[in-house]
Amino acid sequence: MRLSEQIKPISYFKDNAARVITELAETREPLIITQNGEATCVIQDIKSYEDGQNTLALLKILAMGRQQIEDGKFKPAREVFAKMDKEILG
């Protein structure tokens, strides 16, 4: 799909909603909806949405981990594994 095909006016979506939804599921390409010539929303298939949400969650976890390292709130892996071995082996 070319970029020009990924941008449609709201009237097109209203008239072709079922077709658009089928195409979104097949292509996994988002569709930008315009109203009065301006982009107002993006429509995407659920799988792409879920993948995006999962990616954001992972990025947040990475950012939190980086912040904890910068704040000195971490232990070397050697210490963590030694503690685990002690707890498991007694």
Side-chain angles (χ1 to χ4, degrees):
M1 227 181 219
R2 293 176 303 206
L3 184 58
S4 61
E5 293 175 334
Q6 295 176 30
I7 301 172
K8 300 287 184 189
I10 195 164
S11 59
Y12 176 85
F13 180 69
K14 287 178 186 179
D15 294 340
N16 300 283
R19 179 176 163 199
V20 167
I21 290 169
T22 300
E23 289 176 3
L24 289 174
E26 290 173 0
T27 66
R28 297 196 64 199
E29 294 289 329
L31 174 66
I32 299 169
I33 300 295
T34 62
Q35 193 169 22
N36 299 321
E38 293 189 34
T40 56
C41 68
V42 176
I43 300 173
Q44 66 184 137
D45 66 287
I46 192 67
K47 179 70 173 129
S48 295
Y49 173 78
E50 289 171 345
D51 289 349
Q53 292 301 302
N54 289 337
T55 299
L56 286 174
L58 289 172
L59 289 171
K60 287 179 183 180
I61 291 168
L62 288 172
M64 288 170 41
R66 174 176 232 144
Q67 187 62 52
Q68 288 176 342
I69 290 170
E70 289 176 5
D71 294 344
K73 298 177 182 177
F74 69 95
K75 292 183 182 181
R78 196 171 319 126
E79 287 180 30
V80 173
F81 289 125
K83 183 179 178 182
M84 289 172 60
D85 286 343
K86 185 177 178 182
E87 290 178 9
I88 291 171
L89 301 174

